Amino acid sequence: MTPGFHRRAFLQGSLAGTAGLTAASASASASASASPLLPILDTSSAVRTDGLTPLAQFTAHGTQWRVYEDQTRRDGPIVFTSDKGAFSLSKRPEAVFDDITPAYLGLALKDICQADADLLADKLLARGDDPDPDEVRRAAPPAGWNFTRESLWWRMPWTTFVGTAQQGDTMPVFPNGRTRTFRPEHVFPELSGDDKVKRRWEGLLGGWLPAVHKIIEISPTRHYDLLVFADVTATDKLVVQTWHRTIQYDDGKPVKTAFGHSYAPFPPRRVEPTAEAFYEGLLTFAGDWQARLKDQATLNIPDAALSDMVSHAFAKELMVRPQGVYPKYGVVDRDYFGSEYDGFQDTFTSSLYANLEWGRFDQARAVLINYFEDFVFADGQINMRGPEVAQFGLTLSLLARYLRYTGDTATLKRFAGKIENTAAILTELHDVALKKPAGDAGFGLLDGWSESDACLHPDPSVWWKPYWNNSAFAVRGWRDIAAVWAVIAPDKASLAADWKTRADTLQAQLIKTLRANIRHDLTPPYVAILPGATRTHRQAMIESARSKTGNEQGWAHRAYAELLHADVLPDDLAQTVINAVRGHGGTAIGVLANFGPPSDDSRDQLGFISYGYAQQLLRSDRIEEYLLFLHSHRYHSHTPGTWVAGEVTGITGGLPLFCIPAQLTIPKLVRWALVFEASDADTLWLGRAVPRQWFASEQPIAITGAPTRWGSVDLHLQRQGLTLNGEVRLGGATRPSEVRLRLRVPKEMRLASVTVDGKKAVVEGEDVVIGPQGGALRIQARLRKV
């Protein structure tokens, strides 16, 4: 440690006491004889250092470490070695600048934005096969590359951020690598100025770790390599301490390196840290973050970056939530960090959903307790300005899922009264709906705000209407919570019968009214977002913009997404809704659009609640469209490399406004592609949306420990030539009546024969139908070329 350099010492064994560690990880840390870090880090004796540049050596966590880096290429890893093992931190920089030709796949931006059809989606799906991920990426400029559009004359806007799980804030990182407290241009003046840093690549160290890696190309012969990450040993309540490394490369060779920690030097008391201090900080950082995500179901897929996006989303959530638990919709100073957003229902439901789907039960429980303690009143209402009717239903559904996945009855019993009153909010609205005149267009359907922001308008009654999603999620919430209510509140088990009856009654009315409100005079047939509306949402928005009046069809995207997500429509009707959305200006490169009046230069993706639309694409077997949604969200609702997810993201390269529910979308989409449960049927789907490209790669496709209501599930598949081998393991005490394993082999191949545990299997198309067997099932498929 350099004299005069102040940094909090990392205490031996402190990882074992870090919030968020699983019991197994904590135990391993505490009992390690040589180093508490080694059992947590993914170490290997196979890591090679031949030809790598030695950077530092130091003793930390009871072990002698040496650090190397491959400095011959821009994506060269950083390698830590010791006599107990070694580990490597990879790099995967992605271009942030716009070098895409032809622009918009050769289509005119004005045509794309004005069209009712999603012209880019149509072109990407025209082959009748899975969309090519790289072609999807090239469909529009990368998000955030044109950051100067939002610049003030004296500063650049931040494009990403870093943080820790234990602190109460995050630290923005700007395009040139500076933060609010540290500037690399103090040592390297060339890094100052917007124009100097336009040509850059960004990524994350170690694949998914929240360490920002930047490559900034100043000229054909000079570039800078920067690393920025938060100090995980800091104990400040709000202040985020940061580590920095900047290397100048001339003609591909390192010529100057500078390190920093949080603040500019103030000698002699505060000086630049040593290389040894920096790499010890990096070592500790890697161990801390790996420990925090140890409980996540493991994923091994050919698209490693997509797998890393899943893990990084959970790391970002821990950074965004103060102390890893308290809810925040956004970060820093771009509007969404204010306390008025803290109780937003979508922040809670998106988090609970994603953490449950990936087996992060400790985090799910912490989020649930925090929300019901701090943001749900005794009467079921929420501590937030604008309650959303559909989200009450989704909350009930997710509480039932929580119980089925975790078996944690104690936590739900603790909040039984609040849960009962959450359901009662919906029953009260249902009682009012049933008292409407029989001729009322919305008879029997729940009125109320669909979108939280409705309450901010001068006349919020404009949006107190019977939107389809209000009723759809009431049905889903009542039905799911009723199925487990006797376990939560056995003394009030009779309530479940009423909820079931109401769910059936409301579902029937919803379907009847929705069918009566389809405009068959339009192509494709159009479904407005509420009964009685005759105009399309685009027509309504144009008129309201002209008259400057409230538009009851505002936030139509939410109504469609939640209507489809609730899964209470027969498939033909769900397909009609999907076609109406896609055919009338409702999607942008396959992702649900942020609905607005037509424009010549904007067509925006909705990043944060659109996953309900995607889920119905999967249920309706529109797999190519589902995969387009997945790839498009990845490339156009996230910034390249550092993966900052936008609430709403344009297709012209502007800087999106971050929100955490958008970040937690990719984990859901990836999980459902591999493991997906039918809502009401006793059916488990495996591999339903695995891209054919993954099988073509002949690499492993595996998810291990995916939780379901029947217990954990493992899926392992790999094709080699004309043979496809796999294993399905059902670990729970109960079994689904039916498991359907889809084998989406390359288009030029077909399934010739399939066996399960050596016996001929039932095959329907590409689906292998498996009965309620338990344990490990061996799958072998013979393929033939066509």
Side-chain angles (χ1 to χ4, degrees), residues 99-283:
D99 63 345
I100 298 170
T101 54
Y104 301 108
L105 305 180
L107 301 174
L109 178 62
K110 179 179 178 180
D111 293 341
I112 293 167
C113 296
Q114 287 284 356
D116 281 343
D118 188 343
L119 300 182
L120 289 171
D122 290 348
K123 190 161 186 175
L124 291 164
L125 295 168
R127 296 179 304 162
D129 197 357
D130 290 359
D132 177 2
D134 190 59
E135 192 176 12
V136 176
R137 179 187 64 82
R138 291 185 287 105
W145 77 275
N146 200 5
F147 62 84
T148 54
R149 288 186 179 185
E150 297 181 12
S151 297
L152 297 176
W153 71 270
W154 55 276
R155 64 169 183 154
M156 296 176 284
W158 61 265
T159 52
T160 187
F161 59 91
V162 295
T164 69
Q166 71 269 20
Q167 288 165 305
D169 205 347
T170 54
M171 178 61 75
V173 181
F174 295 79
N176 69 343
R178 72 174 176 86
T179 67
R180 289 270 167 77
T181 60
F182 184 88
R183 286 179 175 266
E185 63 263 44
H186 287 170
V187 178
F188 303 98
E190 279 188 308
L191 292 175
S192 183
D194 289 10
D195 294 338
K196 296 288 185 67
V197 299
K198 289 287 287 183
R199 188 170 177 83
R200 69 187 191 281
W201 292 257
E202 297 191 357
L204 300 166
L205 203 59
W208 61 267
L209 297 172
V212 174
H213 174 226
K214 289 175 178 278
I215 296 170
I216 300 173
E217 191 173 281
I218 299 297
S219 73
T221 60
R222 175 170 293 177
H223 74 269
Y224 292 89
D225 185 293
L226 298 89
L227 293 176
V228 185
F229 60 93
D231 187 341
V232 296
T233 70
T235 57
D236 309 82
K237 291 182 180 180
L238 291 174
V239 176
V240 177
Q241 308 283 347
T242 52
W243 284 105
H244 303 258
R245 188 194 76 172
T246 306
I247 302 178
Q248 177 183 327
Y249 282 82
D250 287 347
D251 297 314
K253 297 180 180 179
V255 297
K256 184 177 182 180
T257 301
F259 299 96
H261 185 271
S262 299
Y263 310 116
F266 190 94
R269 296 284 178 137
R270 176 184 289 157
V271 298
E272 180 181 308
T274 62
E276 289 76 14
F278 175 86
Y279 293 112
E280 180 184 343
L282 181 58
L283 175 79

Side-chain angles (χ1 to χ4, degrees), residues 118 171 404 467 556 653 779:
D118 188 343
M171 178 61 75
R404 285 169 161 164
Y467 299 105
I779 313 296

